Amino acid sequence: MPIHFNETTKEFHLQNDGLSYIFTIIKNRQLGHLYFGKRIHHRESFQHLFKTQARAGMSNVYEGDLEFSLDIIKQEYPAYGTGDYREPAFHLLQEDGSRTTQFEYISHEIINGKPGLIGLPATYTEEDEEASTLIVTLKDTLIEAEIELLYTVYETRNVITRSVRFLNKGEQRLQLTRSLSANVDMFDADFEMLQLSGSWSRERHVKSRELISGIQSISSTRGTSSTQQNPFLVLKRKSADEHQGEVFGFNLVYSGNFLAQVEVDHYDTARVSMGINPFDFNWLLGPGEVFQAPEVVMVYSSEGLNGMSQEFHSLYRERLVRGYWRDKERPVLVNNWEATYFDFNEEKLLNIAKESKELGIELFVLDDGWFGKRDDDTTSLGDWYADRTKLPNGIEGISRKITDLGMKFGLWFEPEMVNKQSDLYEQHPDWIIQVKGRNNSHGRNQYVLDFSRKEVVDNLYKQMAAVLSSSPISYVKWDMNRYMTEVGSLALPAERQSEVAHRYILGVYDLYERLTSEFPYVLFESCASGGARFDPGMLYYAPQTWTSDDTDAIERLKIQYGTSMAYPLSSMGAHVSDIPNHQVQRLTGLEMRGDVSLFGMFGYELDITKMSREEKEEVKQQVSVYKENRRLIQNGTFYRLLSPFDENGNYVSWMVVSNDQKEALVGYYKILAEPNPGFKKLLLKGLDRNKEYAIEGRQWSYFGDELMNAGLMLDNEYSGSTKPQEEKLGDFRSRIYKLKEIDK
Ligand code: DGJ
């Protein structure tokens, strides 16, 4: 039983082979935090871990007691206004104007398995034995409101998930102005905080800083999780690195505005909080209503950042992504966006498809520009029917011609958006997110549909379902190309205007849920100008995300490396594109581009018909290498070896090892050539020390322990030899090493 409750000491201990998480009911019947970290033995009492003490300047709860102060006590779900001056986990405005509450423990329940969240994505279990869930109920009797804190501990994963429900069982109209999903008061602040930050085209770069006194936070107010900051935060010990040391990872399963912060207080403890961004959020919780806050996934690793990432990866691959495509090999695709942009007709598309098919590509994806009268980005979003001047036989015609070639067909949508030049906008100008009497800002000439309204979601469902059911469509790319402005809904009363951003996300999840249930064999790939909504919330519905609009191989090294901190290779769309690269104009060889994309969900984003015969041969080869290795890439254990974010980030490397450790694939990348450098080797990871591995293209075989300790000696062309392989010299070069256990 991984959850213990001690009746006498009122302690909860969530425990599995890797971690322990312990808290207790304290004197004021709130919850005090005792420990989160590596597994420790269970014992009859952990009260010695609870510390409080009389200190000058403290506010105390009870008369005659100078010790019990919330200022110094570590807590599970801290409230505002009773002596704890750190930022609280929630804030509840009552009808009399008070924000002071007194939520006290009243009961708890321990159940097998993991309950779903109301209207929100979450990790799940398939068998009840996989996890246990503790639900602790706190009650404020004055206002008859309850808070349910849910904790799930997985048996065999170093993961705890948390979420929160607010229940208004009284008569008052309560206002939730803050309702975070988790709060963890760490014992000390001796950590670095690592985050994934960026912008369009340079998403999820790894940044870190030492914690210092005060609040350090990342957040989004853009209506999506955003490229600027990802809803992901890591606390790592300063001595920890990729391969060893203590690391705590936190990831919010949510696709909208979020807050992730660490507050270091005057006693040098670190309070981690995560949840929906309280900025511009106010949820009216009427009598009888329930508010569900999203889930936080918390990972503990004593094996460095790679150990943490591997926990996130396997959890997301196996117990977040759902449905038919979860365990299926993903198709190699060709997407026409960078090949044609808006300028195509049926013939052009079919030519690309035909040649792609000959090279082994399995799925043709028709991107933006197929609907309404969309010849540029000023028009037609909202009108999801084919442009007959480009596609005289409609989607039905082109999709059938492509499937007749023996390929699958995929289609692009941007369901959440509308252009003013569209039938939909003409009929329903009130359906966009807007504030009456104010200007509507646009992004890329488009406006955000008000997905907080059911009739809007219904309309989009109807339009999309009609297209998907009329044609053989196996894949949908669901795009979302702008952030929110003038956030308001014409359908909601004044007092609910600050609910719009969250209601919008609930609407997006609702549409995803309906479409994925109605079309269970369609593979969904989410996208938001590339990676502006790369988060676990999306992965629950769409197993893949378009990692970035930046397809340059060198930029992708950073983007894919950073993304892998939290997200598995099976979630990262990675395509080979044309040169000069459309985002940065860089020239890199086809080999380098292929070798970077190999570590993701592979495809092409260029006009195959314009390639030379030699290039096509190379593409054919790349596709076949990918197919041989895709199971390994999709399901294997991923290790980052050399970081592009290191001071000398000129060499980048990563590898993936099969679960039976019989094979592995290593990617090694050189950014700029160096004159006459020293010899280099790679210390591989994750192999079986006793297995003997052959490496394709090499004469010798090597034991796992040699490759992991003495290392894999790299070829001399990297180090100024006199007889180098010409093609390996120069900037932007790569090598792939395939390891296979030798059958004896
Ligand atoms: C942004 C996406 O990230 C691109 O891949 C492409 O689909 C365009 N939108 C189309 O408008």
Side-chain angles (χ1 to χ4, degrees), residues 6-250:
N6 186 331
E7 269 298 339
T8 336
T9 57
K10 305 281 183 239
E11 289 165 4
F12 299 95
H13 183 181
L14 286 69
Q15 182 195 43
N16 64 22
D17 285 346
L19 58 77
S20 283
Y21 189 100
I22 308 170
F23 60 96
T24 183
I25 302 167
I26 54 179
K27 187 171 172 183
N28 65 349
R29 301 190 67 74
Q30 290 175 15
L31 302 177
H33 179 79
L34 297 180
Y35 175 76
F36 178 27
K38 203 175 176 72
R39 175 199 161 98
I40 53 177
H41 276 100
H42 186 60
R43 55 182 290 162
E44 70 288 350
S45 169
F46 286 105
Q47 288 308 305
H48 51 282
L49 296 179
F50 179 79
K51 282 278 185 201
T52 184
Q53 205 173 49
R55 302 273 175 110
M58 283 189 338
S59 311
N60 300 101
V61 178
Y62 300 105
E63 274 183 29
D65 177 347
L66 293 176
E67 286 200 346
F68 189 86
S69 169
L70 294 165
D71 201 10
I72 204 170
I73 292 173
K74 296 178 183 60
Q75 295 159 73
E76 282 300 301
Y77 204 64
Y80 160 74
T82 52
D84 181 355
Y85 299 97
R86 292 163 288 185
E87 293 219 327
F90 69 100
H91 198 223
L92 196 59
L93 177 62
Q94 296 138 61
E95 281 180 353
D96 63 359
S98 156
R99 288 93 53 225
T100 300
T101 56
Q102 199 173 334
F103 282 92
E104 298 180 350
Y105 167 90
I106 53 164
S107 65
H108 74 270
E109 190 188 356
I110 297 172
I111 56 175
N112 289 332
K114 183 171 190 294
L117 266 57
I118 313 161
L120 285 172
T123 56
Y124 58 88
T125 51
E126 279 194 337
E127 310 288 337
D128 274 354
E129 297 68 48
E130 286 175 22
S132 303
T133 299
L134 165 67
I135 305 170
V136 183
T137 305
L138 310 173
K139 182 169 186 166
D140 183 323
T141 41
L142 188 68
I143 55 174
E144 291 287 316
E146 289 177 9
I147 298 177
E148 288 177 355
L149 301 176
L150 280 81
Y151 297 80
T152 296
V153 55
Y154 279 87
E155 278 278 350
T156 59
R157 302 174 188 277
N158 286 348
V159 173
I160 287 182
T161 64
R162 289 184 60 175
S163 62
V164 178
R165 281 199 288 255
F166 286 84
L167 299 86
N168 184 355
K169 297 189 164 174
E171 300 300 320
Q172 285 200 40
R173 285 153 61 86
L174 303 171
Q175 289 181 57
L176 258 177
T177 56
R178 184 182 182 95
S179 64
L180 299 184
S181 300
N183 177 98
V184 183
D185 286 349
M186 308 293 282
F187 184 78
D188 61 82
D190 199 15
F191 290 103
E192 275 167 10
M193 169 174 154
L194 183 146
Q195 64 199 54
L196 301 176
S197 309
S199 184
W200 174 77
S201 226
R202 52 179 164 82
E203 295 90 340
R204 291 172 298 287
H205 283 203
V206 178
K207 312 259 179 194
S208 65
R209 50 179 139 171
E210 261 185 41
L211 290 184
I212 57 163
S213 177
I215 291 176
Q216 30 259 291
S217 73
I218 51 169
S219 63
S220 169
T221 53
R222 294 168 184 264
T224 75
S225 44
S226 90
T227 54
Q228 283 68 19
Q229 306 291 355
N230 196 263
F232 173 70
L233 180 152
V234 175
L235 288 188
K236 89 180 232 318
R237 292 290 177 197
K238 289 168 197 160
S239 57
D241 59 25
E242 283 285 11
H243 309 294
Q244 58 75 39
E246 198 166 52
V247 172
F248 298 81
F250 303 85

Side-chain angles (χ1 to χ4, degrees), residues 337 367-368 412 444 477 479 481 527 529-530 546 549 605:
W337 179 241
D367 209 280
D368 195 355
W412 181 95
R444 206 196 189 200
K477 178 174 171 186
D479 208 343
N481 284 305
C527 173
S529 298
W546 180 224
D549 273 349
E605 188 106 2

